[in-house]
Amino acid sequence: KCPRVSPVVTLCYCFVSPQIRVKPDNTGVVTDGVKHSMNPFCEIAVEEAVKLKEKKLIKEVVAVSCGPQQSQETIRTALAMGADRGIHVDVSGKDYENLGPLQVSKILAALAKQEDAQLILLGKQAIDDDCNQTGQMTAALLDWPQGTFASEVSLEGDKINLVREIDGGLEHIKINTPAVITADLRLNTPRYATLPNIMKAKKKKIATVKPADLGVDLTSRLEVLKVEEPPQREAGMKVETVEDLVVKLKEAGRV
Amino acid sequence: MLLGLTGGRLLPSPRRCLLHCRHIKSAATAASGVGDGVLSAFRSICGEDGVSLGEAVREQHGKDESVHRCRPPDVVVFPRCVEEVSALAKVCHKHRLPIIPFGTGTGLEGGVGAVKGGVCFSLRNMEQVLDLHPEDFDVTVEPGVTRKALNAYLRDTGLWFPVDPGADASLCGMAATSASGTNAVRYGTMRENVMNLEVVLADGSIVHTAGKGRRPRKTSAGYNLTNLFVGSEGTLGIITKTTLRLYGIPEAMVSAVCSFPSVQAAVDSTVQTLQAGVPIARIDPEFLDDVMIDACNRFSSLSYPVTPTLFLEFHGSEQSLEEQVKTAEDITQSNGGSDFQWARDTETRNRLWKARHDAWYAALALRPGCKAYSTDVCVPLSRLPQIIVETKEDLIENRLTGPIAGHVGDGNFHCLMVVDPNNPEEMHRVHLFTERLARRALAMDGTCTGEHGVGLGKRALLCEEMGPVGIQVMRSLKDTLDPNSLMNPGKILQREEP
């Protein structure tokens, strides 16, 4: 008997830029005018959710994103990939700058209860902050089992078989539903959103909620003190002989 | 282009050229062609970091993915915008310095070799995607944007740029060489898909070939300057922007494989499928001959029958695909085709096409330690079986290893000549073979280069192909746009020595 779960897939609206620049006041990086799109690991999570729905193992895929107005675009992309409807949690301005994994996981936990979700799928980490915390925190807040760094997911009755990519190799676990799963790179290859699907996605609904409506307090427990660039790479130096090299290394205090 | 992979994938860094560079001037005399005054002019235009005399940097910019040896420039400059390109070109023009534009260095005909030294304009810092108009299906890009980077950028829009020469090439570079790819049968080559170019001429003037910012889907306004520069291989100007035609990502794709008893049967099937094709099949057939299939079987542990094989791909909506595949299957069977397999999902499709994707490596694995050179002739479809048969006989007679892979739908095929670069006798035999092959193609109303360009190696063949009047017209255009012969000397046209 397969579970009729309604998973909630969360998306990160993160920025994708080849050149990161630190703001002049060292409080963060420049995000104005930088192209933002769906976090690649979240794309994999959406793809997995859509695949599960295509196999008729789950009932409905809801795509969620927390951020300013523009993050609705990433929800649209998820809808074009096959999600059924979207929820945009409107967070902007100073609140958005301070938005971190703890706040997002509180939001997701609240939404999961509201939507009666059985499965939450996320990317393992966002490529702009590399925190790798949201999935784990969400599971803890809901007191649900978690399967992180998933490279294979299969549903078996009301349990989930998961293969996790860990440093030592591959770990096979079985967890109960409801559960939180975070997607790793090799879980699948996300599909492209095709034009016809993008058109169909325009008709799908995106509901907007505010964190306050969910009873979530967005105050951050962290204060960013400073952001600075790594030290500039200095020019190298050529030496003629090995003896010279040793002398230079000693001078620099390296040996 | 070649099958989906070129030597560019084989070695991601171009440091290979170190093996070939035999006549490199040392750093001390590197700038002998370029005086200090000129260098400081360059630096004031693109900054201290924007000018390089380093030996490694110059070697990197003197070689592409061909077998032609490295010919480094005297100096490499890295402009950041078209205004800098124009200012640099003016300096070069004033001092009569050769100018060689450089995109990604993934060409196959030695097009970036600085045969007369000079200044290499490396355009990789101009890497913006400008002006995307999804509703109009067009986008403008700078030279540092590669094909894959653009398609990644376009993902969310449901659009893509389908011309795929295999390597992750600069799109402006693809315009400069009139690149093509496996999808050309359906989507056309760069000639059909470049709508406008921004070009810096030898004297620094900036021209927009269809008018600045213009992107109508069709035009009959004046001379077709856009297509004059497409394929000019850097000999008429430096391309700093290209406006490209985009297409919708296909809703679904099906891949199929089929074996045939003979080359003729494979080609006949292709022609008939194309003829049957208006509402249905739009095929991108890839043809591998028996030698190639054998190599692939050995390399990838596959077990395709060792006979000429076609790899087809169908794009379309779910409903139309079933019909297309059925029609294609019927046609192949009526031509004696067998083992028709097809697949819809990505994983199985990748397995089916593994042979084709690995063909380059499989060819190299036939003779470890050797290098590969690809021929590139193109003939009318009806002559393809004959030229392939004659070419195979030539290969056997001359004891050469040359598995064949081709874009059958275009009449274009490549022999992957696997050669030992340290064996001058063999290299000579290969050289003669490629000349015979080109002449065979020309005799069949074809061309000596379907996709790769003329570059250094095919200038004499171009003269045979075009005839003296054609070459004279080309020369007049070149002399008008570049009277001092500064733009990428030694390519496409042979200069008469003064």
Side-chain angles (χ1 to χ4, degrees), chain A residues 183-204:
Chain A
D184 207 329
L185 188 62
R186 277 160 280 273
L187 181 56
N188 58 49
T189 311
R191 65 194 65 188
Y192 279 83
T194 62
L195 272 180
N197 288 340
I198 291 178
M199 301 307 296
K200 283 185 216 160
K202 292 198 179 159
K203 301 204 184 92
K204 296 184 184 175

Side-chain angles (χ1 to χ4, degrees), chain A residues 18-19 35 37-38 43 51 77 190-198 200, chain B residues 127 137 151-153 155-159 247-252 346-347:
Chain A
Q19 276 142 345
K35 181 168 159 65
S37 58
M38 197 191 303
E43 273 181 25
K51 274 197 160 93
T77 306
R191 65 194 65 188
Y192 279 83
T194 62
L195 272 180
N197 288 340
I198 291 178
K200 283 185 216 160
Chain B
E127 53 178 357
F137 290 76
N151 281 332
Y153 186 96
R155 270 191 78 130
D156 299 334
T157 58
L159 299 172
Y247 295 80
I249 295 174
E251 233 190 283
T346 319
E347 283 81 11

Side-chain angles (χ1 to χ4, degrees), chain B residues 350-397:
Chain B
N350 285 341
R351 233 181 318 118
L352 276 185
W353 279 68
K354 191 167 166 40
R356 169 189 166 274
H357 283 131
D358 293 340
W360 177 265
Y361 301 117
L364 281 171
L366 280 175
R367 295 182 61 196
C370 287
K371 300 188 68 50
Y373 166 70
S374 167
T375 68
D376 179 41
V377 302
C378 186
V379 296
L381 267 183
S382 58
R383 311 302 302 269
L384 191 64
Q386 182 190 354
I387 193 173
I388 290 186
V389 166
E390 284 179 22
T391 305
K392 285 168 79 67
E393 282 167 5
D394 192 341
L395 285 167
I396 294 172
E397 214 176 285

Side-chain angles (χ1 to χ4, degrees), chain A:
Chain A
K1 182 171 117 70
C2 58
R4 307 288 278 170
V5 295
S6 155
V8 171
V9 180
T10 182
L11 314 167
C12 287
Y13 174 65
C14 73
F15 60 83
V16 176
S17 161
Q19 276 142 345
I20 310 292
R21 285 176 301 134
V22 173
K23 282 194 215 168
D25 59 3
N26 287 104
T27 55
V29 295
V30 176
T31 55
D32 285 338
V34 173
K35 181 168 159 65
H36 286 61
S37 58
M38 197 191 303
N39 185 37
F41 294 109
C42 297
E43 273 181 25
I44 297 176
V46 172
E47 173 68 22
E48 195 61 23
V50 172
K51 274 197 160 93
L52 288 172
K53 195 181 98 158
E54 285 170 350
K55 290 186 199 157
K56 303 214 194 316
L57 294 169
I58 59 176
K59 197 173 59 173
E60 191 191 25
V61 178
V62 180
V64 175
S65 190
C66 307
Q69 183 65 19
Q70 300 92 303
S71 54
Q72 290 209 7
E73 283 162 28
T74 46
I75 303 181
R76 288 270 167 233
T77 306
L79 294 173
M81 284 169 73
D84 297 294
R85 58 186 168 91
I87 299 178
H88 168 222
V89 182
D90 191 9
V91 181
S92 45
K94 213 70 198 104
D95 283 337
Y96 181 60
E97 280 176 42
N98 291 331
L99 193 68
L102 183 58
Q103 291 82 6
V104 174
S105 46
K106 285 181 184 172
I107 292 173
L108 291 181
L111 276 174
K113 291 191 184 127
Q114 183 182 293
E115 296 287 327
D116 193 24
Q118 298 291 301
L119 187 58
I120 301 186
L121 283 148
L122 308 89
K124 68 171 181 181
Q125 67 198 56
I127 62 171
D128 53 9
D129 60 22
D130 276 340
C131 282
N132 190 350
Q133 296 167 359
T134 309
Q136 291 87 336
M137 285 179 174
T138 311
L141 286 170
L142 289 166
D143 198 24
W144 285 5
Q146 57 183 264
T148 54
F149 309 103
S151 65
E152 255 179 69
V153 171
S154 56
L155 271 56
E156 195 186 297
D158 59 350
K159 302 213 190 302
I160 302 178
N161 287 325
L162 213 83
V163 178
R164 304 179 60 225
E165 288 198 5
I166 59 176
D167 289 342
L170 298 173
E171 187 186 46
H172 297 251
I173 61 172
K174 191 184 284 220
I175 57 179
N176 296 325
T177 51
V180 174
I181 297 180
T182 72
D184 207 329
L185 188 62
R186 277 160 280 273
L187 181 56
N188 58 49
T189 311
R191 65 194 65 188
Y192 279 83
T194 62
L195 272 180
N197 288 340
I198 291 178
M199 301 307 296
K200 283 185 216 160
K202 292 198 179 159
K203 301 204 184 92
K204 296 184 184 175
K205 292 210 182 327
I206 300 182
T208 308
V209 297
K210 288 206 138 358
D213 300 341
L214 298 166
V216 172
D217 168 22
L218 287 181
T219 340
S220 179
R221 303 282 212 286
L222 302 171
E223 183 192 333
V224 173
L225 296 175
K226 188 162 69 154
V227 176
E228 52 189 21
E229 289 185 8
Q232 286 276 11
R233 190 179 163 152
E234 281 164 21
M237 217 189 314
K238 272 190 179 169
V239 292
E240 295 299 312
T241 67
V242 174
E243 288 75 19
D244 284 349
L245 176 61
V246 173
V247 165
K248 287 261 173 339
L249 286 172
K250 283 190 174 154
E251 274 173 22
R254 301 296 185 128
V255 294

Side-chain angles (χ1 to χ4, degrees), chain B residues 456-471:
Chain B
L456 280 172
K458 296 185 176 143
R459 288 171 291 169
L461 291 166
L462 183 68
C463 294
E464 288 179 39
E465 184 169 327
M466 297 299 301
V469 180
I471 290 289

